[in-house]
Amino acid sequence: MFFNFNSNKMFFLFIIFFSTLISISSNSWFGCWIGLEINLLSFIPLINNSNNILSTEASLKYFLVQSIASINLLFCIIFKMILLKNFEMNNILSILINSSLLMKMGSTPFHFWFPNIVEGLSWFNNFILMTWQKITPMILLSYYFNKNFLIIIIIMNSIIGAIGGLNQTSLRKLMAFSSINNLGWMISSLMISENLWMMYFFFYSFMISIMCLLFYLTNMYFINQLFFFNMNYMIKLSLLINFLSLGGLPPFIGFFPKWIIINFLLKNNFFFLTFILIMMSLILLFFYIRILYSSFMFNYLKLKWMKIFIKNKMMYFINFLSLISSMGLILSNFFYL
């Protein structure tokens, strides 16, 4: 199963959730930093797998990157306590604090560790890294951000997330660059309000959970695996719906949060930022559709040694979630109205 853990891993998973609550509910920067450290030290045992060299390498890389970001954050917190009244230094410190939090969530220009680490993780760990691990840095970013600096970061995120995924053959790296692009949308929603960010994050987590579960059940890690066998057309249809939903194409559910963010950005006169986000979403949709077109059309190889065993109940569940995703715009309009 997707949640096939022993008791030790379940304990570390609980600590991850608990550490996020520590950071969010803390009333001091030092308490937030402690929560981030607990989160880091509890996620590494989940990643690490003695049978897989890639996961061991990924856990070491993750530890080093997150440690550098944590040291930088702690240094900035202490520096801020000393130079509280100096306005010019406060401006520089806000950029430094933002940078360390952006490094923690795998945002550009500190994103170089993210696709490499994702490659060594299982689909469940990928799901945690792309969703839950972004909550704490995002909320801490909303406490103290430099607006002009974040606008540059949003533009870089959307461009690199879109262009970086163009020549990828690994599905995990593809999802990583998609996550970087979506991070641009998340930060732009965070600049407007926390409620808007929560809404976008909920919809994004919903879409990513379906994708990761589907890839886990079909044991898919690379794009060419889509062409190797006569796959069930219901699986391909689910892939189609969820890829297009993740790209933000109407009438799928992924379009709804992007549509609301665009409305708010235009009301706040962020015209150039909105233009960049929309254009990069089109590039994202281009390489999603290229994958889907290939998987539907190139159905010529049926290898005897490659078989997929999927429990029917789980497939019904994924089809139900995909139906929600496809009817998303109609359903979400009721909530919007």
Side-chain angles (χ1 to χ4, degrees):
M1 268 300 293
F2 195 52
F3 303 101
N4 189 17
F5 288 133
N6 56 31
S7 57
N8 292 334
K9 297 247 171 144
M10 283 301 290
F11 171 73
F12 286 118
L13 194 63
F14 170 74
I15 296 294
I16 283 175
F17 299 146
F18 187 66
S19 63
T20 303
L21 296 176
I22 289 170
S23 288
I24 292 167
S25 59
S26 178
N27 60 355
S28 69
W29 279 107
F30 189 66
C32 296
W33 177 79
I34 287 169
L36 284 167
E37 286 302 297
I38 295 167
N39 184 279
L40 160 64
L41 293 171
S42 55
F43 188 55
I44 288 165
L46 279 181
I47 304 172
N48 198 18
N49 182 5
S50 56
N51 299 323
N52 188 352
I53 299 167
L54 279 174
S55 70
T56 310
E57 185 189 329
S59 62
L60 187 61
K61 282 180 183 174
Y62 185 78
F63 174 73
L64 289 170
V65 171
Q66 297 290 319
S67 299
I68 291 162
S70 294
I71 291 162
N72 192 16
L73 182 65
L74 186 62
F75 170 75
C76 293
I77 292 163
I78 295 163
F79 214 60
K80 184 168 165 52
M81 287 166 70
I82 298 164
L83 300 166
L84 198 61
K85 293 178 182 178
N86 192 329
F87 179 74
E88 286 182 11
M89 283 306 294
N90 266 344
N91 204 28
I92 295 162
L93 273 173
S94 68
I95 292 171
L96 287 171
I97 289 171
N98 288 0
S99 298
S100 56
L101 291 170
L102 290 166
M103 187 187 277
K104 276 202 162 288
M105 67 178 90
S107 171
T108 49
F110 317 103
H111 70 287
F112 298 103
W113 62 273
F114 193 65
N116 294 327
I117 285 172
V118 156
E119 192 65 23
L121 303 184
S122 66
W123 281 116
F124 179 72
N125 289 333
N126 266 318
F127 169 68
I128 294 173
L129 188 63
M130 289 177 193
T131 54
W132 191 268
Q133 294 298 86
K134 285 182 169 58
I135 294 173
T136 313
M138 276 282 183
I139 289 173
L140 297 189
L141 191 67
S142 70
Y143 295 158
Y144 190 59
F145 64 83
N146 188 304
K147 194 174 180 181
N148 297 326
F149 176 66
L150 279 192
I151 289 167
I152 297 162
I153 293 295
I154 290 163
I155 292 165
M156 287 173 72
N157 264 319
S158 57
I159 292 169
I160 288 169
I163 293 168
L166 276 173
N167 61 344
Q168 296 300 330
T169 54
S170 166
L171 286 169
R172 284 177 289 194
K173 280 190 177 177
L174 196 76
M175 297 305 286
F177 281 107
S178 169
S179 178
I180 290 166
N181 182 274
N182 277 285
L183 208 55
W185 287 90
M186 279 190 223
I187 297 166
S188 59
S189 65
L190 199 68
M191 281 170 57
I192 297 159
S193 78
E194 282 186 23
N195 289 336
L196 191 61
W197 169 77
M198 282 174 70
M199 185 205 68
Y200 189 91
F201 183 79
F202 171 76
F203 279 107
Y204 172 70
S205 300
F206 173 73
M207 291 182 287
I208 284 286
S209 64
I210 301 171
M211 296 299 289
C212 289
L213 186 60
L214 195 57
F215 289 143
Y216 169 77
L217 289 171
T218 52
N219 201 25
M220 250 189 275
Y221 294 99
F222 295 93
I223 290 170
N224 59 1
Q225 285 176 276
L226 290 162
F227 324 138
F228 275 173
F229 43 79
N230 282 328
M231 199 197 292
N232 183 351
Y233 266 93
M234 283 308 292
I235 298 172
K236 289 193 175 183
L237 191 64
S238 293
L239 274 173
L240 172 78
I241 290 165
N242 293 301
F243 261 131
L244 295 179
S245 183
L246 201 60
L249 191 78
F252 303 108
I253 206 163
F255 170 70
F256 177 66
K258 290 186 178 182
W259 175 40
I260 294 175
I261 288 169
I262 287 164
N263 282 332
F264 276 104
L265 286 173
L266 291 174
K267 279 181 184 177
N268 288 285
N269 299 322
F270 292 116
F271 299 114
F272 180 69
L273 188 64
T274 311
F275 173 75
I276 293 288
L277 286 169
I278 293 167
M279 286 298 111
M280 293 306 116
S281 285
L282 288 174
I283 295 172
L284 214 66
L285 272 169
F286 164 71
F287 66 73
Y288 285 160
I289 290 167
R290 189 176 63 182
I291 295 162
L292 294 165
Y293 178 79
S294 304
S295 70
F296 269 95
M297 295 299 153
F298 303 142
N299 206 7
Y300 50 82
L301 281 173
K302 188 176 181 182
L303 304 178
K304 289 180 181 178
W305 50 267
M306 185 173 279
K307 290 182 181 180
I308 293 179
F309 298 102
I310 300 173
K311 290 182 180 177
N312 288 330
K313 286 180 182 177
M314 287 306 294
M315 207 55 236
Y316 290 142
F317 178 63
I318 287 173
N319 290 337
F320 172 69
L321 292 177
S322 299
L323 181 68
I324 293 169
S325 191
S326 62
M327 298 291 288
L329 199 61
I330 300 161
L331 295 168
S332 54
N333 267 317
F334 288 112
F335 294 110
Y336 192 57
L337 295 168

